[in-house]
Amino acid sequence: MLRPATTDALDRLIASAFDVDRELDMALVQLGVLPPLDLSVIRSWLTLDGVGVRARCNGDGHRIIDVLVERRIVASIGHDGAVELPFAASA
């Protein structure tokens, strides 16, 4: 069972994106996300101007971290550390 994702833990995730890899690793693990070897993709999303994050669980009970800009989901970090982008609307 996952521990609750507190506001402090989510704030620490954003702050750790500006720190060394070890800090970002630990922040992800604390939230129930397995950090990938290459953190550059996650770091690039978490260091955007005005970024926010929220935690949720998928249907299988795995933690998902949504990355938000202006309250819109721009990316999601899966339980395995993979970053997924929301489907773009087709014209």
Side-chain angles (χ1 to χ4, degrees):
M1 178 160 200
L2 292 172
R3 288 189 280 176
T6 64
T7 304
D8 288 341
L10 293 170
D11 290 343
R12 193 172 309 119
L13 177 62
I14 294 173
S16 69
F18 294 94
D19 208 336
V20 295
D21 283 355
R22 183 185 72 233
E23 294 298 321
L24 184 51
D25 276 348
M26 292 306 298
L28 288 166
V29 167
Q30 182 180 7
L31 288 166
V33 174
L34 180 64
L37 291 175
D38 182 10
L39 294 168
S40 62
V41 174
I42 291 175
R43 180 171 276 122
S44 68
W45 285 106
L46 294 176
T47 54
L48 293 173
D49 287 337
V51 72
V53 291
R54 72 175 178 203
R56 62 183 171 89
C57 290
N58 66 8
D60 294 334
H62 295 119
R63 176 84 72 210
I64 305 294
I65 305 295
D66 291 327
V67 180
L68 307 130
V69 174
E70 295 181 4
R71 298 186 312 184
R72 293 180 186 225
I73 298 173
V74 294
S76 295
I77 304 168
H79 70 282
D80 59 354
V83 176
E84 297 179 12
L85 305 177
F87 291 109
S90 58

Coordinates of all heavy atoms in Angstrom, one line a residue:
M1 N 0.8 -1.2 0.0 CA 0.0 0.0 0.0 C 0.9 1.2 0.0 O 1.9 1.3 0.7 CB -0.9 0.0 1.2 CG -1.8 1.2 1.3 SD -3.1 0.8 2.4 CE -4.3 2.0 1.9
L2 N 0.5 2.2 -0.8 CA 1.3 3.5 -0.9 C 1.0 4.4 0.3 O -0.1 4.5 0.8 CB 0.9 4.2 -2.2 CG 1.3 3.5 -3.5 CD1 0.7 4.3 -4.7 CD2 2.8 3.5 -3.6
R3 N 2.0 5.1 0.7 CA 1.9 6.1 1.7 C 1.2 7.3 1.0 O 1.3 7.5 -0.2 CB 3.2 6.6 2.2 CG 3.9 5.6 3.1 CD 5.1 6.2 3.8 NE 6.2 6.2 2.8 CZ 7.4 6.7 3.1 NH1 7.6 7.3 4.2 NH2 8.3 6.6 2.2
P4 N 0.4 8.1 1.8 CA -0.2 9.3 1.2 C 0.8 10.2 0.7 O 1.9 10.4 1.2 CB -1.0 9.9 2.4 CG -1.1 8.8 3.4 CD 0.1 7.9 3.2
A5 N 0.5 10.9 -0.4 CA 1.4 11.9 -1.0 C 1.1 13.2 -0.4 O 0.1 13.9 -0.8 CB 1.2 11.9 -2.5
T6 N 1.9 13.6 0.6 CA 1.6 14.9 1.3 C 2.1 16.1 0.4 O 2.9 15.9 -0.5 CB 2.4 14.9 2.6 OG1 3.8 14.9 2.3 CG2 2.0 13.7 3.5
T7 N 1.6 17.2 0.8 CA 2.0 18.4 0.1 C 3.5 18.7 0.3 O 4.1 19.1 -0.7 CB 1.2 19.6 0.7 OG1 -0.2 19.4 0.6 CG2 1.5 20.9 0.0
D8 N 4.0 18.3 1.4 CA 5.5 18.5 1.6 C 6.3 17.6 0.7 O 7.3 18.0 0.1 CB 5.8 18.1 3.1 CG 5.4 19.2 4.1 OD1 5.1 20.4 3.6 OD2 5.3 18.9 5.3
A9 N 5.8 16.4 0.5 CA 6.5 15.4 -0.4 C 6.4 15.9 -1.8 O 7.4 15.8 -2.6 CB 5.9 14.0 -0.3
L10 N 5.3 16.4 -2.2 CA 5.2 17.0 -3.6 C 6.0 18.2 -3.8 O 6.6 18.4 -4.9 CB 3.7 17.2 -3.9 CG 2.8 16.0 -4.0 CD1 1.3 16.4 -4.0 CD2 3.2 15.1 -5.2
D11 N 6.0 19.1 -2.8 CA 6.9 20.3 -2.9 C 8.4 19.9 -2.9 O 9.2 20.5 -3.7 CB 6.7 21.2 -1.7 CG 5.3 21.9 -1.7 OD1 4.7 21.9 -2.8 OD2 4.9 22.4 -0.7
R12 N 8.7 18.9 -2.2 CA 10.1 18.4 -2.2 C 10.5 17.8 -3.5 O 11.6 17.9 -4.0 CB 10.3 17.3 -1.1 CG 11.7 16.9 -0.8 CD 11.9 16.0 0.4 NE 11.2 16.5 1.6 CZ 10.2 15.9 2.2 NH1 9.8 14.7 1.8 NH2 9.6 16.4 3.2
L13 N 9.5 17.2 -4.2 CA 9.8 16.7 -5.6 C 10.2 17.8 -6.5 O 11.2 17.7 -7.2 CB 8.6 15.9 -6.1 CG 8.7 15.4 -7.5 CD1 9.8 14.3 -7.6 CD2 7.3 14.8 -8.0
I14 N 9.5 18.9 -6.5 CA 9.8 20.0 -7.4 C 11.1 20.6 -7.0 O 12.0 20.9 -7.8 CB 8.7 21.1 -7.4 CG1 7.4 20.5 -8.0 CG2 9.1 22.3 -8.1 CD1 6.2 21.4 -7.9
A15 N 11.4 20.8 -5.7 CA 12.6 21.4 -5.2 C 13.8 20.5 -5.6 O 14.9 21.0 -6.0 CB 12.6 21.6 -3.7
S16 N 13.6 19.2 -5.5 CA 14.7 18.3 -5.7 C 15.1 18.2 -7.2 O 16.2 17.8 -7.5 CB 14.4 16.9 -5.3 OG 13.4 16.3 -6.1
A17 N 14.2 18.7 -8.1 CA 14.6 18.7 -9.5 C 15.7 19.7 -9.8 O 16.4 19.6 -10.8 CB 13.3 19.0 -10.4
F18 N 15.9 20.6 -8.9 CA 16.9 21.6 -9.0 C 18.2 21.2 -8.3 O 19.2 22.0 -8.2 CB 16.5 23.0 -8.5 CG 15.3 23.6 -9.4 CD1 14.0 23.4 -9.0 CD2 15.6 24.3 -10.5 CE1 13.0 23.9 -9.7 CE2 14.6 24.8 -11.3 CZ 13.3 24.6 -10.9
D19 N 18.2 20.0 -7.7 CA 19.3 19.5 -6.9 C 20.0 18.4 -7.6 O 19.7 18.1 -8.7 CB 18.7 19.1 -5.5 CG 19.7 19.2 -4.4 OD1 20.9 19.2 -4.6 OD2 19.3 19.3 -3.2
V20 N 20.8 17.7 -6.8 CA 21.5 16.5 -7.4 C 20.6 15.3 -7.7 O 19.5 15.3 -7.1 CB 22.7 16.1 -6.5 CG1 23.7 17.2 -6.4 CG2 22.2 15.7 -5.1
D21 N 21.0 14.4 -8.5 CA 20.2 13.2 -8.8 C 19.8 12.5 -7.6 O 18.6 12.0 -7.6 CB 21.0 12.3 -9.8 CG 21.1 12.8 -11.2 OD1 20.4 13.8 -11.5 OD2 21.7 12.1 -12.0
R22 N 20.6 12.3 -6.6 CA 20.3 11.5 -5.4 C 19.0 12.1 -4.7 O 18.2 11.4 -4.3 CB 21.5 11.5 -4.4 CG 21.2 10.7 -3.2 CD 22.4 10.8 -2.2 NE 22.3 12.1 -1.6 CZ 23.4 13.0 -1.6 NH1 24.5 12.6 -2.1 NH2 23.3 14.1 -1.0
E23 N 18.9 13.4 -4.7 CA 17.8 14.0 -4.0 C 16.5 13.8 -4.8 O 15.4 13.5 -4.3 CB 18.0 15.5 -3.9 CG 19.1 15.9 -2.9 CD 18.8 15.4 -1.5 OE1 17.7 15.4 -1.0 OE2 19.8 14.9 -0.8
L24 N 16.6 13.9 -6.2 CA 15.4 13.6 -7.0 C 15.0 12.1 -6.9 O 13.8 11.8 -6.8 CB 15.7 14.0 -8.5 CG 14.6 13.9 -9.5 CD1 13.3 14.6 -9.0 CD2 15.0 14.4 -10.8
D25 N 16.0 11.3 -6.9 CA 15.7 9.8 -6.7 C 14.9 9.6 -5.4 O 13.9 8.9 -5.4 CB 17.1 9.0 -6.6 CG 17.7 8.6 -7.9 OD1 17.0 8.8 -8.9 OD2 18.8 8.2 -7.9
M26 N 15.4 10.2 -4.3 CA 14.8 9.9 -3.0 C 13.4 10.5 -3.0 O 12.4 9.9 -2.4 CB 15.6 10.5 -1.9 CG 16.9 9.8 -1.7 SD 16.7 8.0 -1.5 CE 15.7 7.9 0.0
A27 N 13.2 11.7 -3.6 CA 11.8 12.3 -3.7 C 10.9 11.4 -4.4 O 9.7 11.3 -4.0 CB 11.9 13.7 -4.3
L28 N 11.3 10.8 -5.5 CA 10.5 10.0 -6.3 C 10.1 8.7 -5.6 O 9.0 8.3 -5.5 CB 11.1 9.6 -7.7 CG 11.2 10.7 -8.7 CD1 12.2 10.4 -9.8 CD2 9.8 11.0 -9.3
V29 N 11.1 8.1 -4.9 CA 10.9 6.9 -4.2 C 9.9 7.1 -3.0 O 9.0 6.3 -2.8 CB 12.3 6.3 -3.6 CG1 12.0 5.2 -2.6 CG2 13.1 5.8 -4.8
Q30 N 10.1 8.2 -2.4 CA 9.1 8.6 -1.3 C 7.7 8.6 -1.7 O 6.8 8.3 -1.0 CB 9.5 9.9 -0.6 CG 8.7 10.3 0.6 CD 9.1 11.6 1.2 OE1 9.9 12.3 0.7 NE2 8.4 11.9 2.3
L31 N 7.5 9.0 -3.0 CA 6.1 9.1 -3.6 C 5.7 7.8 -4.2 O 4.6 7.7 -4.7 CB 6.1 10.3 -4.6 CG 6.1 11.6 -3.9 CD1 6.4 12.7 -5.0 CD2 4.8 11.9 -3.2
G32 N 6.5 6.8 -4.2 CA 6.1 5.5 -4.8 C 6.4 5.4 -6.3 O 5.8 4.5 -6.9
V33 N 7.4 6.1 -6.8 CA 7.8 6.1 -8.2 C 9.2 5.5 -8.3 O 10.1 6.0 -7.6 CB 7.7 7.4 -8.8 CG1 8.2 7.4 -10.2 CG2 6.3 8.0 -8.8
L34 N 9.4 4.5 -9.1 CA 10.7 3.9 -9.3 C 11.5 4.9 -10.2 O 11.1 5.1 -11.4 CB 10.6 2.6 -9.9 CG 11.9 1.8 -10.2 CD1 12.7 1.5 -8.9 CD2 11.7 0.6 -11.0
P35 N 12.6 5.5 -9.7 CA 13.3 6.5 -10.6 C 14.1 5.8 -11.7 O 14.7 4.7 -11.5 CB 14.3 7.1 -9.6 CG 14.2 6.4 -8.4 CD 13.1 5.4 -8.4
P36 N 14.0 6.3 -12.9 CA 14.8 5.8 -14.0 C 16.3 6.1 -13.9 O 16.6 7.0 -13.1 CB 14.2 6.5 -15.3 CG 13.7 7.8 -14.7 CD 13.2 7.5 -13.3
L37 N 17.2 5.5 -14.6 CA 18.6 5.8 -14.6 C 18.9 7.2 -15.0 O 19.7 7.9 -14.5 CB 19.4 4.8 -15.4 CG 19.4 3.4 -14.9 CD1 20.2 2.4 -15.8 CD2 20.1 3.3 -13.5
D38 N 18.2 7.6 -16.1 CA 18.4 8.9 -16.7 C 17.2 9.8 -16.2 O 16.1 9.6 -16.6 CB 18.4 8.9 -18.2 CG 18.6 10.2 -18.8 OD1 18.9 11.2 -18.1 OD2 18.5 10.3 -20.1
L39 N 17.5 10.8 -15.3 CA 16.5 11.6 -14.8 C 16.2 12.9 -15.6 O 15.4 13.7 -15.2 CB 16.9 12.0 -13.3 CG 16.9 10.9 -12.3 CD1 17.6 11.3 -11.0 CD2 15.5 10.4 -12.1
S40 N 16.9 13.0 -16.7 CA 16.9 14.3 -17.4 C 15.5 14.6 -17.9 O 15.1 15.8 -17.9 CB 17.9 14.3 -18.6 OG 17.6 13.3 -19.5
V41 N 14.7 13.6 -18.4 CA 13.4 13.9 -18.9 C 12.4 14.4 -17.8 O 11.7 15.4 -17.9 CB 12.8 12.7 -19.6 CG1 11.3 12.9 -20.0 CG2 13.6 12.3 -20.8
I42 N 12.5 13.7 -16.6 CA 11.7 14.1 -15.5 C 12.1 15.5 -15.0 O 11.3 16.3 -14.8 CB 11.8 13.0 -14.3 CG1 11.1 11.7 -14.8 CG2 11.2 13.6 -13.1 CD1 11.2 10.6 -13.8
R43 N 13.4 15.7 -14.9 CA 13.9 17.0 -14.5 C 13.5 18.1 -15.4 O 13.1 19.2 -14.9 CB 15.4 16.9 -14.4 CG 16.0 18.2 -13.9 CD 17.5 18.1 -13.6 NE 17.6 17.6 -12.2 CZ 18.3 16.5 -11.9 NH1 18.8 15.8 -12.8 NH2 18.3 16.1 -10.7
S44 N 13.5 17.9 -16.7 CA 13.1 18.9 -17.6 C 11.6 19.3 -17.5 O 11.3 20.5 -17.6 CB 13.3 18.5 -19.1 OG 12.4 17.4 -19.5
W45 N 10.7 18.4 -17.1 CA 9.3 18.7 -16.8 C 9.1 19.4 -15.5 O 8.3 20.4 -15.4 CB 8.4 17.5 -16.9 CG 8.2 17.0 -18.3 CD1 8.8 15.9 -18.9 CD2 7.4 17.6 -19.3 NE1 8.4 15.8 -20.2 CE2 7.5 16.9 -20.5 CE3 6.6 18.8 -19.3 CZ2 6.8 17.2 -21.6 CZ3 5.9 19.1 -20.5 CH2 6.1 18.3 -21.6
L46 N 9.9 19.0 -14.5 CA 9.7 19.5 -13.2 C 10.3 20.9 -13.0 O 10.1 21.6 -12.0 CB 10.2 18.6 -12.1 CG 9.5 17.3 -12.0 CD1 10.2 16.4 -11.0 CD2 8.0 17.5 -11.6
T47 N 11.2 21.3 -13.9 CA 11.8 22.6 -13.8 C 11.2 23.7 -14.7 O 11.7 24.8 -14.8 CB 13.3 22.5 -14.1 OG1 13.5 21.9 -15.4 CG2 14.0 21.7 -13.0
L48 N 10.0 23.4 -15.3 CA 9.3 24.4 -16.1 C 8.9 25.6 -15.2 O 8.6 25.4 -14.0 CB 8.1 23.8 -16.7 CG 8.4 22.8 -17.8 CD1 7.0 22.1 -18.3 CD2 9.1 23.4 -19.0
D49 N 8.7 26.8 -15.7 CA 8.2 27.9 -15.0 C 6.7 27.6 -14.6 O 5.9 27.2 -15.4 CB 8.3 29.2 -15.8 CG 9.7 29.7 -15.9 OD1 10.5 29.4 -15.0 OD2 10.0 30.5 -16.9
G50 N 6.4 27.9 -13.3 CA 5.0 27.8 -12.9 C 4.5 26.3 -12.8 O 3.3 26.1 -12.8
V51 N 5.4 25.4 -12.7 CA 5.0 24.0 -12.6 C 4.4 23.6 -11.3 O 4.7 24.2 -10.2 CB 6.2 23.0 -13.0 CG1 7.2 23.0 -11.8 CG2 5.7 21.6 -13.3
G52 N 3.4 22.7 -11.3 CA 2.9 22.1 -10.1 C 2.7 20.6 -10.3 O 2.9 20.1 -11.4
V53 N 2.5 19.9 -9.2 CA 2.4 18.4 -9.3 C 1.2 18.0 -8.4 O 0.9 18.6 -7.5 CB 3.7 17.7 -8.9 CG1 4.8 17.9 -10.0 CG2 4.2 18.1 -7.6
R54 N 0.6 16.9 -8.8 CA -0.4 16.2 -8.0 C -0.2 14.7 -8.1 O 0.2 14.2 -9.2 CB -1.8 16.7 -8.3 CG -2.3 16.2 -9.6 CD -3.8 16.6 -9.9 NE -4.2 16.0 -11.2 CZ -5.1 16.5 -11.9 NH1 -5.9 17.5 -11.4 NH2 -5.4 16.0 -13.0
A55 N -0.6 14.0 -7.1 CA -0.4 12.6 -7.1 C -1.8 11.9 -7.2 O -2.8 12.4 -6.6 CB 0.3 12.1 -5.8
R56 N -1.8 10.8 -7.9 CA -3.1 10.0 -8.0 C -2.6 8.6 -8.2 O -1.5 8.3 -8.3 CB -4.0 10.5 -9.1 CG -3.3 10.3 -10.5 CD -4.2 10.9 -11.6 NE -3.6 10.9 -12.9 CZ -3.5 10.0 -13.7 NH1 -4.1 8.8 -13.5 NH2 -2.9 10.1 -14.9
C57 N -3.6 7.7 -8.1 CA -3.3 6.2 -8.3 C -4.1 5.8 -9.6 O -5.2 6.2 -9.8 CB -3.7 5.4 -7.1 SG -2.7 5.6 -5.7
N58 N -3.5 4.9 -10.4 CA -4.2 4.4 -11.5 C -5.1 3.2 -11.1 O -5.2 2.9 -9.9 CB -3.3 4.0 -12.7 CG -2.4 2.9 -12.3 OD1 -2.5 2.2 -11.3 ND2 -1.4 2.6 -13.2
G59 N -5.8 2.6 -12.0 CA -6.7 1.5 -11.7 C -6.0 0.3 -11.0 O -6.7 -0.5 -10.3
D60 N -4.7 0.2 -11.3 CA -3.9 -1.0 -10.7 C -3.4 -0.6 -9.3 O -2.7 -1.4 -8.7 CB -2.8 -1.4 -11.6 CG -3.3 -1.9 -12.9 OD1 -4.4 -2.5 -13.0 OD2 -2.5 -1.8 -13.9
G61 N -3.6 0.6 -8.9 CA -3.1 1.0 -7.6 C -1.7 1.6 -7.6 O -1.1 1.8 -6.5
H62 N -1.2 1.8 -8.8 CA 0.2 2.4 -8.9 C 0.1 3.9 -8.8 O -0.9 4.5 -9.3 CB 0.8 2.0 -10.2 CG 1.1 0.6 -10.3 ND1 0.5 -0.2 -11.3 CD2 1.9 -0.3 -9.6 CE1 1.0 -1.5 -11.2 NE2 1.8 -1.5 -10.1
R63 N 1.1 4.5 -8.3 CA 1.2 6.0 -8.2 C 1.5 6.6 -9.5 O 2.3 6.2 -10.3 CB 2.3 6.4 -7.2 CG 2.5 7.8 -7.1 CD 1.6 8.5 -6.1 NE 1.9 8.2 -4.8 CZ 1.0 8.1 -3.8 NH1 -0.2 8.4 -4.0 NH2 1.4 7.7 -2.6
I64 N 0.8 7.7 -9.8 CA 1.0 8.5 -11.0 C 1.2 9.9 -10.5 O 0.4 10.4 -9.7 CB -0.2 8.5 -12.0 CG1 -0.5 7.0 -12.4 CG2 0.1 9.3 -13.2 CD1 0.5 6.3 -13.2
I65 N 2.2 10.6 -11.0 CA 2.4 12.0 -10.6 C 2.1 12.8 -11.9 O 2.8 12.7 -12.9 CB 3.9 12.3 -10.2 CG1 4.3 11.4 -9.1 CG2 4.1 13.7 -9.9 CD1 3.6 11.6 -7.8
D66 N 1.1 13.7 -11.8 CA 0.7 14.6 -12.9 C 1.5 15.9 -12.8 O 1.6 16.4 -11.7 CB -0.8 14.9 -12.9 CG -1.6 13.7 -13.2 OD1 -1.2 12.9 -14.0 OD2 -2.8 13.6 -12.7
V67 N 2.1 16.3 -13.9 CA 2.8 17.6 -13.9 C 1.9 18.6 -14.6 O 1.4 18.3 -15.7 CB 4.1 17.4 -14.8 CG1 4.9 18.7 -14.8 CG2 5.0 16.3 -14.2
L68 N 1.7 19.7 -13.8 CA 0.7 20.7 -14.3 C 1.4 22.0 -14.6 O 2.2 22.4 -13.8 CB -0.4 20.9 -13.2 CG -1.0 19.6 -12.7 CD1 -1.0 19.5 -11.2 CD2 -2.4 19.5 -13.3
V69 N 0.9 22.7 -15.6 CA 1.2 24.0 -15.9 C -0.1 24.8 -16.1 O -0.9 24.3 -17.0 CB 2.2 24.2 -17.1 CG1 2.4 25.6 -17.5 CG2 3.5 23.5 -16.8
E70 N -0.3 25.8 -15.4 CA -1.6 26.6 -15.4 C -2.7 25.6 -15.2 O -3.7 25.7 -15.9 CB -1.7 27.3 -16.7 CG -0.7 28.4 -16.9 CD -0.8 29.2 -18.2 OE1 -1.7 29.0 -19.0 OE2 0.1 30.1 -18.4
R71 N -2.6 24.7 -14.2 CA -3.6 23.7 -13.8 C -4.0 22.8 -14.9 O -5.1 22.1 -14.9 CB -4.9 24.5 -13.3 CG -4.6 25.3 -12.1 CD -5.8 25.9 -11.5 NE -6.6 26.5 -12.4 CZ -7.7 27.2 -12.1 NH1 -8.1 27.3 -10.9 NH2 -8.4 27.8 -13.1
R72 N -3.2 22.6 -16.0 CA -3.4 21.6 -17.0 C -2.3 20.6 -17.0 O -1.2 20.9 -16.8 CB -3.4 22.3 -18.4 CG -4.6 23.2 -18.6 CD -4.6 23.8 -19.9 NE -5.7 24.8 -20.0 CZ -6.5 24.9 -21.1 NH1 -6.3 24.1 -22.1 NH2 -7.4 25.8 -21.1
I73 N -2.7 19.3 -17.2 CA -1.7 18.3 -17.2 C -0.9 18.3 -18.5 O -1.4 18.3 -19.6 CB -2.4 16.9 -17.1 CG1 -3.1 16.8 -15.7 CG2 -1.3 15.8 -17.2 CD1 -4.0 15.5 -15.6
V74 N 0.4 18.5 -18.3 CA 1.3 18.5 -19.5 C 2.1 17.2 -19.6 O 2.6 16.9 -20.7 CB 2.2 19.7 -19.5 CG1 1.4 21.0 -19.6 CG2 3.1 19.8 -18.2
A75 N 2.2 16.5 -18.5 CA 2.9 15.2 -18.5 C 2.5 14.4 -17.3 O 2.0 15.0 -16.3 CB 4.4 15.4 -18.6
S76 N 2.7 13.1 -17.4 CA 2.5 12.3 -16.2 C 3.7 11.3 -16.0 O 4.2 10.8 -17.0 CB 1.2 11.4 -16.4 OG 0.1 12.2 -16.5
I77 N 4.1 11.2 -14.8 CA 5.2 10.3 -14.4 C 4.6 9.1 -13.8 O 3.9 9.1 -12.8 CB 6.2 11.0 -13.4 CG1 6.7 12.3 -14.0 CG2 7.3 10.1 -13.1 CD1 7.4 13.2 -12.9
G78 N 4.8 7.9 -14.5 CA 4.3 6.7 -14.1 C 5.0 6.0 -12.9 O 6.1 6.5 -12.6
H79 N 4.5 5.0 -12.4 CA 5.1 4.3 -11.2 C 6.5 3.7 -11.6 O 7.3 3.5 -10.7 CB 4.2 3.2 -10.7 CG 4.1 2.0 -11.7 ND1 3.4 2.0 -12.8 CD2 4.8 0.8 -11.7 CE1 3.5 0.9 -13.5 NE2 4.4 0.2 -12.8
D80 N 6.8 3.5 -12.9 CA 8.1 3.0 -13.3 C 9.0 4.1 -13.8 O 10.1 3.8 -14.3 CB 7.8 2.0 -14.4 CG 7.1 2.6 -15.6 OD1 6.7 3.8 -15.6 OD2 7.0 1.9 -16.6
G81 N 8.6 5.4 -13.6 CA 9.5 6.5 -13.9 C 9.3 6.9 -15.4 O 10.0 7.9 -15.8
A82 N 8.5 6.3 -16.1 CA 8.3 6.7 -17.5 C 7.4 7.9 -17.6 O 6.4 8.0 -16.8 CB 7.6 5.5 -18.3
V83 N 7.7 8.8 -18.5 CA 7.0 10.1 -18.6 C 6.1 9.9 -19.8 O 6.5 9.5 -20.9 CB 7.9 11.3 -18.8 CG1 7.1 12.5 -19.1 CG2 8.8 11.5 -17.6
E84 N 4.8 10.1 -19.6 CA 3.8 10.1 -20.7 C 3.2 11.4 -20.9 O 3.0 12.2 -20.0 CB 2.7 9.1 -20.3 CG 3.2 7.7 -20.1 CD 2.1 6.7 -19.7 OE1 0.9 7.1 -19.8 OE2 2.5 5.6 -19.3
L85 N 2.9 11.7 -22.2 CA 2.3 13.0 -22.5 C 0.8 12.8 -22.8 O 0.5 11.7 -23.4 CB 3.0 13.6 -23.8 CG 4.5 13.8 -23.6 CD1 5.1 14.3 -24.9 CD2 4.8 14.7 -22.5
P86 N 0.0 13.7 -22.4 CA -1.5 13.5 -22.8 C -1.7 13.5 -24.3 O -0.8 14.1 -25.0 CB -2.1 14.7 -22.1 CG -1.1 15.7 -21.9 CD 0.2 15.0 -21.8
F87 N -2.7 12.9 -24.7 CA -3.0 12.8 -26.1 C -3.3 14.2 -26.6 O -4.1 15.0 -26.0 CB -4.2 11.9 -26.4 CG -4.0 10.5 -26.2 CD1 -4.6 9.9 -25.1 CD2 -3.1 9.8 -27.0 CE1 -4.3 8.5 -24.8 CE2 -2.9 8.4 -26.7 CZ -3.5 7.8 -25.6
A88 N -2.7 14.6 -27.7 CA -2.9 15.9 -28.4 C -4.2 15.8 -29.2 O -4.5 14.8 -29.8 CB -1.7 16.3 -29.3
A89 N -4.9 16.8 -29.1 CA -6.2 16.9 -29.9 C -5.8 16.9 -31.4 O -4.9 17.6 -31.8 CB -7.0 18.1 -29.5
S90 N -6.5 16.2 -32.2 CA -6.3 16.2 -33.6 C -7.1 17.3 -34.3 O -8.2 17.5 -33.9 CB -6.5 14.8 -34.2 OG -7.9 14.5 -34.0
A91 N -6.6 17.8 -35.3 CA -7.3 18.9 -36.0 C -8.2 18.4 -37.0 O -8.2 17.3 -37.5 CB -6.3 19.8 -36.7

